[in-house]
């Protein structure tokens, strides 16, 4: 039995594209609309990243010093994630507040984000260089990028939730365009599969008829062909 989600995947893609397109257009027109959304997404992402890493890290790190340092990093991430999550909810309620927790979360957003990135890179290099944890080239250059981005985000005044909201809007528009193309492609595959199935059934019906013999029509089927009965042989009676 075919998976209905796979067969009708184009509907999900089309609806998702419509949502992303709406978010992108509204974000381009009014960046303030996306500010609480950007803060909320950042807080949730930091929380999820901290939660899913906790148990694997504690089980696989070689030294207790690495575990303690990683525990400290994850605890800081959880605190920042909760701050941004709660701050985003308050911003949704009152986006024009110039004091209070929502204002604090929005004003210092870039320091929270930059701090998480910088702390990830710093803890990585401490664990690998000082505590001799395993690493590879990809992880090395990735965490160099984390430290660099962390410093840039914290020091550049122009990196605000409004700027990031504009970037999110651009990505939403690009994502919607990709989903629209993919949905059209998958719909074409869906219709092609229906056509192929219909042609296979037709070929199967034709295969049941002997080659070179025309398929009988309904009138031919209703014609009664007389059949001669065999001559009865003389029966021999024995008295």
């Amino acid at each position: 039995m075919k998976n209905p989600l796979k067969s009708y995947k184009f509907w999900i893609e089309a609806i998702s594209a419509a949502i992303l397109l709406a978010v992108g257009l509204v974000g381009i027109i009014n960046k303030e609309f996306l500010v609480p959304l950007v803060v909320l997404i950042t807080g949730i992402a930091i929380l999820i990243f901290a939660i899913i890493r906790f148990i694997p890290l504690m089980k696989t790190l070689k030294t207790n010093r690495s575990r303690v340092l990683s525990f400290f990093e994850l605890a800081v991430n959880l605190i920042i994630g909760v701050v941004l999550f709660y701050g985003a909810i308050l911003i949704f309620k009152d986006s024009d507040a110039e004091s209070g927790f929502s204002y604090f979360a929005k004003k210092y957003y870039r320091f929270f984000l930059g701090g998480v990135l910088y702390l990830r890179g710093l803890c990585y290099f401490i664990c690998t260089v000082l505590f001799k944890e395993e690493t590879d080239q990809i992880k090395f250059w990735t965490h160099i990028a984390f430290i660099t981005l962390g410093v840039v985000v914290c020091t550049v005044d122009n990196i605000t939730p409004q700027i990031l909201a504009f970037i999110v809007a651009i990505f939403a528009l690009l994502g919607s365009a990709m989903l629209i193309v993919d949905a059209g492609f998958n719909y074409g595959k869906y219709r092609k599969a229906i056509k192929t199935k219909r042609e296979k059934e037709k070929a199967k019906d034709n295969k049941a008829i002997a080659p070179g013999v025309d398929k009988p029509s309904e009138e031919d089927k209703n014609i009664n062909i007389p059949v001669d009965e065999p001559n009865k042989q003389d029966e021999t009676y024995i008295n």
Side-chain angles (χ1 to χ4, degrees):
M1 183 178 179
K2 292 185 177 180
N3 187 353
L5 291 179
K6 186 176 180 180
S7 299
Y8 297 98
K9 181 182 176 182
F10 61 88
W11 280 113
I12 300 175
E13 291 173 334
I15 294 171
S16 301
I19 294 173
L20 285 177
L21 183 62
V23 171
L25 291 175
V26 173
I28 293 293
I29 297 172
N30 181 15
K31 292 189 290 291
E32 291 297 330
F33 169 79
L34 288 183
V35 168
L37 187 61
V38 168
V39 177
L40 181 64
I41 292 173
T42 305
I44 293 176
I46 292 173
L47 285 172
I48 293 175
F49 189 60
I51 292 171
I52 65 175
R53 291 175 62 219
F54 180 76
I55 294 179
L57 276 178
M58 296 300 109
K59 286 185 175 181
T60 58
L61 290 173
K62 293 193 299 184
T63 66
N64 290 329
R65 292 181 298 176
S66 297
R67 293 188 183 94
V68 171
L69 181 62
S70 297
F71 181 83
F72 170 76
E73 178 198 356
L74 296 178
V76 172
N77 286 349
L78 285 173
I79 294 172
I80 292 177
V82 171
V83 168
L84 292 178
F85 180 82
Y86 183 63
I89 294 175
L90 295 180
I91 296 172
F92 272 116
K93 294 180 179 179
D94 185 11
S95 59
D96 297 327
E98 297 183 357
S99 62
F101 197 83
S102 61
Y103 176 77
F104 170 78
K106 186 164 59 174
K107 182 177 180 180
Y108 296 102
Y109 168 82
R110 64 190 178 95
F111 295 105
F112 290 132
L113 178 59
V116 169
L117 294 173
Y118 187 86
L119 184 61
R120 174 80 287 273
L122 179 63
C123 290
Y124 164 81
F125 283 108
I126 292 176
C127 288
T128 55
V129 176
L130 299 181
F131 302 154
K132 308 302 179 183
E133 296 289 342
E134 294 90 350
T135 186
D136 54 48
Q137 290 187 5
I138 295 177
K139 292 179 182 177
F140 175 83
W141 291 109
T142 300
H143 287 83
I144 286 288
F146 281 160
I147 288 181
T148 305
L149 285 174
V151 172
V152 171
V153 170
C154 288
T155 56
V156 177
D157 294 335
N158 292 331
I159 299 180
T160 62
Q162 288 81 0
I163 296 297
L164 292 178
F166 182 77
I167 295 174
V168 168
I170 296 297
F171 274 103
L173 291 176
L174 292 175
S176 66
M178 293 175 63
L179 284 174
I180 290 171
V181 173
D182 201 32
F185 177 75
N186 285 326
Y187 182 71
K189 289 173 61 178
Y190 166 76
R191 296 303 308 174
K192 187 177 180 180
I194 293 177
K195 181 181 178 182
T196 303
K197 182 180 178 181
R198 183 171 61 244
E199 290 176 349
K200 285 182 178 180
E201 291 177 350
K202 184 177 180 181
K204 186 177 179 181
D205 293 338
N206 293 334
K207 194 174 182 181
I209 304 172
V213 178
D214 294 334
K215 187 176 180 181
S217 63
E218 293 297 328
E219 295 179 355
D220 295 336
K221 291 180 181 179
N222 295 327
I223 296 176
N224 294 322
I225 301 175
V227 179
D228 295 335
E229 295 183 358
N231 295 328
K232 293 183 179 181
Q233 297 180 354
D234 295 336
E235 296 179 353
T236 304
Y237 295 93
I238 299 175
N239 295 328

